[in-house]
Amino acid sequence: MEVYTCDSVSYVICRNLAFLMLDLETNQLDLAGAKRVAAMSDIVIVGVGERAYQSGEARSMAHIDVPDSQQQLVKHLKEMGKKVIVLVMGGRPLIFNELEPYADAILMTWWLGTEAGNSIADVLSGDYNPSGKLPMTFPAAIGQVPIYYNYKNTGRPSQPGFMTYTCGYLDQDFRPAYPFGYGLSYTQFEISDPIPSKKEYKKGETVECRVTVKNTGKCEGKETVQLYIRDLVSSVTRPVKELRGFEQVTLKPGEEKEVVFQLHEKELGFYNGNLEYVVEPGEFELMVGNSSDHLKKTVILYN
């Protein structure tokens, strides 16, 4: 293994694999040095984002974009015809739209502590198939903040492709860069339509919903199946969806399993205007999928 240092950028080359860490304090870009090192490698891994001291208590940021110099580095390296893997390091949602089209893969590493290097290496080398899901929404632009999946409905709901006369934006798609619950794997999964045990339930009964999950890819992996609900008619406004359960299943290639979700009465309720916890009768949407924006749904009646 050889270690190179060029101005503000440190490089490590090992078996035709170049690790490029831009100086996250100065954000200076030594493009010539980066290209020289990348030219000697088949695959380039670039670490971008923020430093650990930038996250935490009293560390709010008005701008959460990955610095432009870091994003431009990814672009220039990709233009060399290299395979480019980007490690996004941070303790909050970050915006990195400019580099995304030039990255062959993006891994959100967060701040994982002393074993971060080993765990990241296990994922990149294929020794471990990643299965993580985002615990928050990543905005595509700072003007979308605050942004979250369980927002309240409006009289003019946003629709892709319709920028005017809705609650969207004139200059930006309303959808986030990465939604709550999002996460990829080295394999692919197919989740069936949700099937409730019956279409109408009486008050106090447990709602049961089943889906089939199949590994349609070429390697073993773990999927997190997520259950959301929506109270379609209520005395106070309710979110367009609320996470009410999730189940992780590990499947070999071609294997499929049935996942059964159960919703008890209290999980269909909410606090009304008098701060009383109530369960109101009516229709509920049951939505199942692998992220908050990739769902299949059915409707039940709860009386």
Side-chain angles (χ1 to χ4, degrees), residues 140-180:
I142 194 67
Q144 293 177 320
V145 177
I147 186 170
Y148 41 89
Y149 83 90
N150 52 340
Y151 56 88
K152 300 291 182 66
N153 195 27
T154 73
R156 290 178 173 176
S158 296
Q159 301 178 53
F162 292 87
M163 298 298 182
T164 57
Y165 301 107
T166 74
C167 64
Y169 304 94
L170 294 177
D171 58 347
Q172 174 76 37
D173 196 310
F174 72 93
R175 290 171 294 188
Y178 301 98
F180 172 84

Side-chain angles (χ1 to χ4, degrees), residues 179-233:
F180 172 84
Y182 177 84
L184 298 179
S185 167
Y186 288 145
T187 190
Q188 296 81 42
F189 299 93
E190 185 178 280
I191 301 175
S192 70
D193 292 328
I195 302 176
S197 58
K198 54 184 179 179
K199 284 293 186 178
E200 185 172 346
Y201 293 85
K202 296 181 179 179
K203 186 175 177 61
E205 287 187 322
T206 297
V207 177
E208 189 173 274
C209 179
R210 299 171 181 267
V211 294
T212 300
V213 187
K214 182 177 182 179
N215 184 342
T216 59
K218 298 181 179 180
C219 60
E220 182 176 322
K222 182 188 297 182
E223 179 64 296
T224 302
V225 188
Q226 303 161 36
L227 170 69
Y228 297 80
I229 70 166
R230 180 180 184 181
D231 191 343
L232 292 175
V233 180

Side-chain angles (χ1 to χ4, degrees), residues 198-207 231 263-270 276-282 284 300-303:
K198 54 184 179 179
K199 284 293 186 178
E200 185 172 346
Y201 293 85
K202 296 181 179 179
K203 186 175 177 61
E205 287 187 322
T206 297
V207 177
D231 191 343
L263 288 170
H264 302 290
E265 182 180 20
K266 65 178 182 179
E267 294 169 302
L268 302 175
F270 59 90
E276 300 167 331
Y277 195 81
V278 297
V279 179
E280 296 180 346
F284 289 82
I300 63 163
L301 183 63
Y302 193 82
N303 285 318

Side-chain angles (χ1 to χ4, degrees), residues 221-295:
K222 182 188 297 182
E223 179 64 296
T224 302
V225 188
Q226 303 161 36
L227 170 69
Y228 297 80
I229 70 166
R230 180 180 184 181
D231 191 343
L232 292 175
V233 180
S234 57
S235 58
V236 299
T237 57
R238 304 297 302 139
V240 296
K241 64 190 72 167
E242 298 176 274
L243 182 67
R244 280 294 182 263
F246 61 89
E247 187 75 28
Q248 289 188 322
V249 290
T250 301
L251 300 172
K252 296 179 180 179
E255 184 181 7
E256 62 180 50
K257 288 183 180 178
E258 185 179 67
V259 176
V260 181
F261 290 104
Q262 290 186 334
L263 288 170
H264 302 290
E265 182 180 20
K266 65 178 182 179
E267 294 169 302
L268 302 175
F270 59 90
Y271 285 95
N272 64 15
N274 296 321
L275 297 183
E276 300 167 331
Y277 195 81
V278 297
V279 179
E280 296 180 346
E283 289 186 323
F284 289 82
E285 280 185 349
L286 306 182
M287 297 167 276
V288 180
N290 58 10
S291 73
S292 61
D293 76 335
H294 190 233
L295 301 167

